[in-house]
Amino acid sequence: RDGELLSRMASAMPGDHWAGVGRGYLHCSRWSWLLAGAASYGVDQWLAVGTRDETGFIHARRHVVPLASLLGRIGLGVADIQGHGELARLAPDKPLPVGAASAWEVLLADPGIRAEIEKRARTRHDLLVAHVAELGLRSGRVGLVDVGWRGRLAWAMSPILEEVTGSSPIHFHFGGDQ
């Protein structure tokens, strides 16, 4: 996506500019990394950040995107919410109605749901750790470029990259609110 342009710019620079530095472009699903972040940070902190306001990565456009997509952000599917009657009765291909926001909050506070999010986040986390290691990023510093408004992806990726490489990534963030 946006980072591809920066990768192309880096590729156009003279080869000696990158002496001793490896470059790569990791195309990835933000939802995979964001969910894996719940395993790194803990579900409570992860949910607090993701639901801080209407632009948090869990709440963003929650009354616009289909319920199934909203559930996918937290690693769940429609079958996982059968114990939450109001939400379970909603059409998965329709957005969360504004009047159902409190039912969504109840779902996110449910200890059983939180445990399921943690379980699925751990699975995703372990897959990403293995994937990053397979890419050869087993040691050394990583420069992480995040193009976006809030740096959410970098926030989610950082502890996973640190776990694999043994050092915190260097962040280059382009964008920002206002």
Side-chain angles (χ1 to χ4, degrees), residues 18-135:
W18 297 107
V21 177
R23 293 184 292 108
Y25 179 74
L26 175 61
H27 180 81
C28 58
S29 163
R30 86 181 51 238
W31 297 118
S32 290
W33 287 93
L34 283 167
L35 180 60
S40 297
Y41 289 106
V43 172
D44 291 341
Q45 182 182 355
W46 182 80
L47 284 171
V49 170
T51 61
R52 183 172 293 143
D53 58 30
E54 288 298 317
T55 63
F57 62 86
I58 294 172
H59 278 173
R61 301 174 40 103
R62 67 179 170 163
H63 301 299
V64 178
V65 300
L67 176 62
S69 294
L70 193 58
L71 289 167
R73 293 177 185 182
I74 59 173
L76 302 179
V78 176
D80 299 310
I81 63 169
Q82 294 310 308
H84 290 267
E86 183 179 350
L87 291 177
R89 288 188 293 274
L90 296 174
D93 61 336
K94 302 285 186 216
L96 180 72
V98 173
S102 61
W104 177 251
E105 299 298 333
V106 168
L107 176 79
L108 295 177
D110 180 323
I113 292 294
R114 285 174 176 246
E116 192 60 34
I117 292 169
E118 173 66 32
K119 180 176 136 190
R120 294 182 189 189
R122 175 57 51 195
T123 299
R124 192 78 52 97
H125 170 273
D126 294 348
L127 288 170
L128 284 172
V129 164
H131 178 66
V132 170
E134 285 175 12
L135 293 174

Side-chain angles (χ1 to χ4, degrees), residues 106-176:
V106 168
L107 176 79
L108 295 177
D110 180 323
I113 292 294
R114 285 174 176 246
E116 192 60 34
I117 292 169
E118 173 66 32
K119 180 176 136 190
R120 294 182 189 189
R122 175 57 51 195
T123 299
R124 192 78 52 97
H125 170 273
D126 294 348
L127 288 170
L128 284 172
V129 164
H131 178 66
V132 170
E134 285 175 12
L135 293 174
L137 298 175
R138 296 177 201 271
S139 63
R141 292 296 297 269
V142 172
L144 180 60
V145 179
D146 186 5
V147 180
W149 290 108
R150 297 177 181 254
R152 293 176 231 191
L153 191 54
W155 176 78
M157 292 175 78
S158 291
I160 297 166
L161 292 170
E162 184 173 353
E163 182 179 334
V164 175
T165 65
S167 63
S168 296
I170 301 167
H171 287 253
F172 302 97
H173 182 231
F174 296 89

